[in-house]
Amino acid sequence: MSRRATISGVGGELPGEPVGNAHFASYLDTDDAWIVSRTGIEARHRAPADMSLVDLALPAAERALASAKVKAAELDLIIMATTTPDQFMPATACLLQARLDGAAGCPAFDVQAVCSGFVYALQLADAAVRAGQAERVLVVGADMYSRILDYQDRGTCILFGDGAGAAVVTATETEGTGIAAVDLHADGRLAAIIETPGRVSGQRLEGTGAFAMDGPQVYKVAIEKMAESARAVCDQAAVAPADLAWLVAHQANLRIIDRVAKDLGLADERVVRTVARHANTSAASIPLALASVWDRIVPGDWVLFTAAGGGFTWGSVLWRA
Ligand code: COA
């Protein structure tokens, strides 16, 4: 049996009190029934103004380390997936490392693949472990879209929430377990369907940076690419979709998750759904969803992670517990 990477622990964090759909109906031309029927979202969390992304990510990382029984000092690598870093530089992973007692010294860097960020980061952790370059990797997905949303745009502001999730990836020699297949893609020709149009140009930052999206186009491409990629990892590992124990899809929209699940022919109880209570938390959504069922995953379960997002990026990871 060759060396593989497995997931040994997870943790999550949502800031403050939930903000219900009624809040948006109080000042925008929208209502709870529209939001729930089109997205499945009932609430989201919003970080207070004085909270940094590292403040939000730290408890998620500490919970994942405790759940994996790994000390920060034992980490060989820290990878942070985020689109909303505290600063352009240094990487948020380095700022997080400074808050994790004993973690100084190991490499730490950020990955920017928007809502696919956690799946991209998991691929890097898997590769580092299989190559023998790391034994214990902290993979964090954290985002604060409240910092980039236009709260007057009813088509986007209702869809996102702030959150952080983390997983500890470790080496295993146990036969038949670990990450079995990975499938990642990007198509930069679709960059404009999700973007923050403001740009760094010349010597100053231009534009607002507020989030913009072609919702119907994203909806269509996300379903097509997530289903295609989910099938690709199943094919790679010769696992029938019907044998999946859990589908942990990016939590953007209940209708997208249900369409992907239907395409794979999965029974309802195998599909993890957390989007109702925290909306789309971008890079945090997969580890948050995983944390919600962590105690119910048993050895031998096939768990499929699939995501799509800005870039346009998409991909999947197939893991056996
Ligand atoms: N409340 C009420 N009406 C709204 C609304 C809101 N919050 N947001 C948009 N509308 C309106 C639109 O203005 C439009 O009105 P019009 O027909 O008068 O022009 C109407 O609803 C339909 O808009 P449309 O964008 O076609 O709706 P939709 O059924 O495609 O749903 C989304 C919109 C955003 C929910 C849907 O496209 C979606 O979920 N896309 C994917 C978004 C996503 O998950 N992105 C992240 C992926 S990583």
Side-chain angles (χ1 to χ4, degrees), residues 76-214:
D76 303 309
L77 176 62
I78 300 172
I79 309 175
M80 162 81 89
T82 188
T83 314
T84 51
D86 285 327
Q87 302 170 217
F88 286 130
M89 64 165 117
T92 313
C94 297
L95 301 174
L96 177 66
Q97 182 188 42
R99 302 270 294 273
L100 289 168
D101 203 23
C106 73
F109 59 87
D110 287 2
V111 168
Q112 216 273 38
V114 198
C115 297
S116 309
F118 187 80
V119 166
Y120 266 60
L122 210 48
Q123 183 272 336
L124 289 166
D126 174 53
V129 167
R130 281 192 296 102
Q133 293 175 338
E135 293 280 328
R136 298 170 201 86
V137 185
L138 176 64
V139 181
V140 183
D143 268 307
M144 283 186 177
Y145 271 47
S146 62
R147 306 295 199 244
I148 59 170
L149 289 172
D150 172 358
Y151 280 101
Q152 298 304 317
D153 178 5
R154 67 178 184 171
T156 55
C157 72
I158 52 134
L159 297 172
F160 295 87
D162 299 338
V168 174
V169 173
T170 57
T172 180
E173 302 280 345
T174 307
E175 193 73 39
T177 68
I179 292 175
V182 176
D183 177 69
L184 293 186
H185 300 275
D187 184 348
R189 294 171 301 179
L190 297 173
I193 68 173
I194 302 185
E195 63 170 346
T196 53
R199 61 190 63 224
V200 180
S201 160
Q203 292 189 331
R204 64 196 180 88
L205 183 65
E206 289 180 343
T208 62
F211 181 89
M213 179 177 69
D214 178 344

Side-chain angles (χ1 to χ4, degrees), residues 30 34 38-39 115 154-155 158 213 215-216 218-219 250 252-253 280 308:
T30 188
W34 193 96
R38 300 291 175 110
T39 71
C115 297
R154 67 178 184 171
I158 52 134
M213 179 177 69
V218 171
Y219 184 83
H250 171 47
N253 178 320
N280 183 346

Side-chain angles (χ1 to χ4, degrees), residues 15 26 52 312:
S26 73
S52 69
F312 200 81

Side-chain angles (χ1 to χ4, degrees), residues 12-94:
E13 173 72 359
L14 294 166
E17 294 301 312
V19 179
N21 293 339
H23 166 74
F24 297 93
S26 73
Y27 75 97
L28 284 174
D29 182 14
T30 188
D31 55 70
D32 180 61
W34 193 96
I35 299 172
V36 171
S37 67
R38 300 291 175 110
T39 71
I41 295 165
E42 293 166 20
R44 72 289 289 145
H45 291 248
R46 202 187 287 180
D50 60 354
M51 180 181 276
S52 69
L53 190 69
V54 174
D55 292 336
L56 178 60
L58 184 64
E62 288 174 337
R63 281 180 197 128
L65 287 165
S67 142
K69 299 188 173 59
V70 168
K71 293 187 178 61
E74 296 173 317
L75 290 172
D76 303 309
L77 176 62
I78 300 172
I79 309 175
M80 162 81 89
T82 188
T83 314
T84 51
D86 285 327
Q87 302 170 217
F88 286 130
M89 64 165 117
T92 313
C94 297

